[in-house]
């Protein structure tokens, strides 16, 4: 649930920069948001990357983190 990269990848790719996208998993009671913040090219691989800000609430505990996701050749996204 924390890193459902299929959904995260789609959000990272399609969401406009600065737009917070909310998500929820009612069966587990988890929810949160993801927001692509900046984009650029990975220096070593040339992959398209986006900095993302995430807020997750899992089992009643809220976590926030910032990371970078880059698009692989097959179109999938990976958190770096």
């Amino acid at each position: 649930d924390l890193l459902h990269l299929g959904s995260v990848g789609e959000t990272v790719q399609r969401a406009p920069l600065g737009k917070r996208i909310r998500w929820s998993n009612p069966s587990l009671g988890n929810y949160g948001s993801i927001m692509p913040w900046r984009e650029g090219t990975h220096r070593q691989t040339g992959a398209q990357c986006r900095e993302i800000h995430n807020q997750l609430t899992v089992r009643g505990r809220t976590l926030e983190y910032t990371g970078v996701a880059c698009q692989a050749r097959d179109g999938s996204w990976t958190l770096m």
Side-chain angles (χ1 to χ4, degrees):
D1 205 37
L2 286 175
L3 296 175
H4 189 278
L5 288 181
S7 297
V8 171
E10 185 175 326
T11 300
V12 169
Q13 183 177 13
R14 294 184 179 188
L17 295 178
K19 180 172 177 162
R20 185 171 301 277
I21 305 297
R22 300 191 189 287
W23 61 269
S24 67
N25 183 330
S27 64
L28 296 175
N30 301 335
Y31 58 93
S33 63
I34 182 170
M35 179 176 56
W37 187 251
R38 294 187 295 182
E39 62 186 1
T41 303
H42 192 279
R43 289 183 204 159
Q44 294 176 338
T45 67
Q48 175 188 355
C49 300
R50 283 186 155 194
E51 181 179 339
I52 53 175
H53 296 277
N54 292 282
Q55 183 177 41
L56 314 167
T57 300
V58 177
R59 292 184 216 109
R61 183 173 176 203
T62 300
L63 309 167
E64 291 188 37
Y65 68 94
T66 299
V68 175
C70 294
Q71 191 171 29
R73 288 188 180 120
D74 68 2
S76 64
W77 287 80
T78 303
L79 292 174
M80 305 303 280

